[in-house]
């Protein structure tokens, strides 16, 4: 079982290549607002997360995830 801070660090690494603006990441960092991701970037990133953790993030769940903290919690739940 991975703890929350380890999961945050792993996801931070995955976000890195998609973080074109070099935004400092925190739980409250939003994908649409702070990182300014478009829908294509979101889909590419979701595929990267799914491949890395061998999980499936449903479209309904994706719609609920607005910031990094919510993503950390969702991936923790899906991997445990």
């Amino acid at each position: 079982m991975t703890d929350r801070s380890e999961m945050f660090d792993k996801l931070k690494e995955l976000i890195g290549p998609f973080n074109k603006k070099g935004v400092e990441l925190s739980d409250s960092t939003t994908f649409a607002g702070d990182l300014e991701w478009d829908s294509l970037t979101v889909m590419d990133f979701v595929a990267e997360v799914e491949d890395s953790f061998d999980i499936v993030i449903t479209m309904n769940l994706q719609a609920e995830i607005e910031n990094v903290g919510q993503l950390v919690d969702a991936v923790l739940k899906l991997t445990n």
Side-chain angles (χ1 to χ4, degrees), residues 27-65:
D27 275 355
S28 61
T29 303
T30 62
F31 298 105
D34 298 322
L35 295 173
E36 298 181 3
W37 288 2
D38 60 19
S39 57
L40 181 59
T41 303
V42 169
M43 295 308 293
D44 288 344
F45 176 68
V46 168
E48 185 72 27
V49 171
E50 289 177 331
D51 290 347
S52 295
F53 294 97
D54 195 27
I55 58 174
V56 173
I57 301 173
T58 65
M59 293 299 282
N60 287 341
L61 183 55
Q62 287 179 41
E64 296 174 9
I65 298 172

Side-chain angles (χ1 to χ4, degrees), residues 7-30:
M7 182 60 72
F8 179 87
D9 290 342
K10 288 178 183 178
L11 289 168
K12 187 176 177 179
E13 286 179 29
L14 292 177
I15 291 169
F18 297 91
N19 188 358
K20 304 296 185 200
K21 298 186 73 176
V23 173
E24 185 68 29
L25 300 177
S26 70
D27 275 355
S28 61
T29 303
T30 62

